[in-house]
Amino acid sequence: MNKKFILYLTILLLFIGGIKFNFLQKELQDFTNFIKIKYHQINDYLENIILLHLNQEETIENLLLQNRELEKYKLQFNAIKDELQSIKKECNSSIKNSFDIKLVRAISYSKLGDFSSVWIDFKDFNKTKIYGLVKDDFAAGIVVEKNSKPLALLNSNKKCAYAVEIGDVRAPGVAIGHKNGIMKVKFIPMHKQIKVGDEVVTSGMDNIFFYGIKVGKVIKIKERGSYKVAEIKPYADISHPKYFWVIINN
């Protein structure tokens, strides 16, 4: 048999096999994620049933207190929203201030031994967009598309990046994930006088987060060419990911 024919046949078979493997790998991931989501849902349901029966009186009291607190915040929010709309009208401003937030569950880490990214259960995910991720009122990372699924890149992931501002001088920069529980803020203008201890917040200029979500504090500052680089200690505790809030900018 012709050696070239055997070679071409082998390459063709490997190519077809690779396509089938990738297809089966995606199908397997979808199936395992479905099982994990159902497991978490059943587990939460059973936990809630047990809590309601064992601590019914205490649970009801706590819920009533939380409801009163939420009513207070709702009144404050509506007052601020009305005032903002009035200011926008006076200034003839078209700045958008519309956003939504959704609670999502972490399903599993994306890779064994890698604790910087997790698959999440996000029903309304749009794979063409990047979303901001919040945990305990602090910026925790971003959500991106991978294999047509929502993947949360946490603050410790080197591919996690979003726009921030530093300190009272509101120095702009880009916070990027780094190892050892820190982040680096790059591209800070040299003339901006930042200092150790300055607080870092999201700037909202990337349409991922809105302005003012706390990120962390500056622990070290270096100069790199025509820019400054700041190392920061993030506030968000991502060591036990379970639930996150996702920022949805309209």
Side-chain angles (χ1 to χ4, degrees):
M1 187 178 290
N2 191 297
K3 291 183 178 180
K4 285 188 177 180
F5 175 76
I6 295 174
L7 177 62
Y8 292 148
L9 181 62
T10 303
I11 293 172
L12 179 62
L13 290 173
L14 288 173
F15 177 74
I16 294 172
I19 292 175
K20 288 186 175 180
F21 177 75
N22 288 334
F23 175 75
L24 290 173
Q25 190 177 41
K26 183 179 183 302
E27 291 297 313
L28 180 62
Q29 182 185 319
D30 290 344
F31 177 72
T32 54
N33 281 352
F34 173 79
I35 296 297
K36 289 172 184 176
I37 290 170
K38 290 302 177 185
Y39 166 78
H40 287 309
Q41 288 175 345
I42 294 170
N43 186 60
D44 279 356
Y45 175 77
L46 293 175
E47 281 184 359
N48 289 335
I49 291 294
I50 293 170
L51 285 173
L52 283 173
H53 281 280
L54 295 181
N55 306 301
Q56 192 170 22
E57 185 177 344
E58 183 180 350
T59 300
I60 291 172
E61 185 178 350
N62 287 335
L63 288 174
L64 287 172
L65 288 172
Q66 289 176 20
N67 190 50
R68 294 192 193 102
E69 192 72 12
L70 288 172
E71 285 180 359
K72 183 184 75 173
Y73 285 131
K74 183 180 178 181
L75 288 171
Q76 293 174 341
F77 172 78
N78 286 334
I80 294 171
K81 183 179 177 182
D82 290 343
E83 186 174 353
L84 178 59
Q85 293 294 341
S86 176
I87 294 172
K88 286 175 63 179
K89 188 175 180 180
E90 288 288 333
C91 299
N92 194 26
S93 172
S94 60
I95 297 174
K96 295 192 299 181
N97 64 304
S98 176
F99 62 87
D100 190 13
I101 57 173
K102 289 189 180 296
L103 186 66
V104 300
R105 178 203 293 280
I107 301 173
S108 64
Y109 290 110
S110 64
K111 292 181 181 178
L112 189 64
D114 180 7
F115 305 114
S116 68
S117 60
V118 294
W119 298 111
I120 59 173
D121 183 18
F122 183 8
K123 302 296 184 187
D124 302 319
F125 173 67
N126 182 341
K127 63 182 182 181
T128 65
K129 297 178 66 175
I130 298 176
Y131 301 86
L133 203 66
V134 176
K135 188 174 187 292
D136 301 325
D137 298 329
F138 305 126
I142 60 174
V143 179
V144 299
E145 177 272 339
K146 185 174 182 180
N147 299 331
S148 298
K149 302 293 180 183
L151 180 67
L153 304 179
L154 306 180
N155 281 339
S156 55
N157 192 292
K158 63 181 181 180
K159 293 183 179 179
C160 172
Y162 48 89
V164 296
E165 289 183 356
I166 302 176
D168 295 334
V169 297
R170 299 184 63 174
V174 178
I176 300 173
H178 198 63
K179 57 185 179 180
N180 301 326
I182 66 168
M183 297 186 78
K184 287 189 175 183
V185 180
K186 298 185 177 181
F187 311 113
I188 306 166
M190 190 66 74
H191 68 275
K192 290 291 186 179
Q193 299 302 312
I194 59 174
K195 60 186 183 299
V196 170
D198 277 349
E199 192 162 64
V200 181
V201 300
T202 57
S203 69
M205 297 303 292
D206 49 14
N207 205 35
I208 297 176
F209 292 95
F210 50 83
Y211 172 77
I213 300 178
K214 294 182 179 180
V215 181
K217 282 193 174 181
V218 176
I219 57 174
K220 187 183 292 185
I221 301 168
K222 297 179 181 178
E223 294 185 2
R224 290 286 185 270
S226 58
Y227 293 98
K228 292 179 181 178
V229 176
E231 291 186 4
I232 67 171
K233 180 69 176 176
Y235 291 138
D237 179 9
I238 55 175
S239 57
H240 301 93
K242 189 173 182 182
Y243 287 98
F244 297 95
W245 290 102
V246 170
I247 306 296
I248 302 173
N249 283 322
N250 296 327

